[in-house]
Amino acid sequence: MPIVSIEPATAERWNDLENLFGPTGAYGHCWCTFFRRRAKDYTESTTCERPRRGSDNKQELRRLTLDGRVPGLIAYDEEGPCGWVSVAPRGDYVRLARSRTLRPADPAEPGVWALVCFWLPPRRRRRGLGSRLLDGAIEYARAQGARVLEAYPVDTAGGRAPSAEVYAGTVEMFRRAGFTLVDHHTSERTIARLELKQE
């Protein structure tokens, strides 16, 4: 079923996001906060006993929307919410700044946004929805004044990989969207970057 629209995840759309992520909060009670929280806080939330498991992560994501911030975009088809992409100013993702493998060469570089995660329910995968979400993220970042969109895809060498391993998207997906692939300055990771011309 084709995507009808891609919308900012605002407080008014929280119920849609909650229903999309389901009781496990997408990837193992993450609630798409892995890059937004310090390692200690994230680990405590995802390893605590049920039913509290992941509750702090969920509340963190909810708080962002209540504060008027947009942590990402929700895709909708005719049946309702069907996909998610986490895209925001790079500074919102505290884990990137502390990461040995993804730490930016210039943390103060202005106008850089980051795309760190996609989530599609299992029955929606392998239908091109990820590429549509990527297009929506590019358009949204540009509309918000971003100068560069950065991402951290996985190189599957043209093959397939388990969904949990390619939550950040694939190198080929970003290459097709016009991103330039650059080597990271401190590791073997590849960074995908797209210069966003303001329209």
Side-chain angles (χ1 to χ4, degrees), residues 22 55 60 74 100 108 129-130 171:
S55 62
E60 174 68 12
I74 305 171
R100 181 181 61 83
L129 296 182
V171 163

Side-chain angles (χ1 to χ4, degrees), residues 14 84 132:
W14 173 255
W84 160 262
R132 285 288 313 280

Side-chain angles (χ1 to χ4, degrees), residues 1-7 15-17 19-20 74-84 121 123-124 129:
M1 193 170 293
I3 290 177
V4 174
S5 68
I6 298 175
E7 306 292 343
N15 288 342
D16 290 341
L17 184 55
N19 291 335
L20 177 67
I74 305 171
Y76 292 83
D77 63 18
E78 292 177 357
E79 295 180 357
C82 64
W84 160 262
R123 68 188 183 93
R124 309 281 189 172
L129 296 182

Side-chain angles (χ1 to χ4, degrees), residues 10-61:
T10 59
E12 294 76 19
R13 295 190 178 96
W14 173 255
N15 288 342
D16 290 341
L17 184 55
E18 187 177 31
N19 291 335
L20 177 67
F21 280 1
T24 61
Y27 296 108
H29 304 277
C30 175
W31 289 94
C32 211
T33 61
F34 179 83
F35 287 101
R36 292 181 177 275
R37 307 193 76 192
R38 296 179 311 157
K40 177 178 182 288
D41 297 333
Y42 179 83
T43 300
E44 285 178 356
S45 181
T46 53
T47 58
C48 65
E49 69 284 349
R50 290 184 176 91
R52 259 201 70 234
R53 191 172 180 195
S55 62
D56 291 346
N57 292 336
K58 180 178 181 179
Q59 291 308 313
E60 174 68 12
L61 190 64

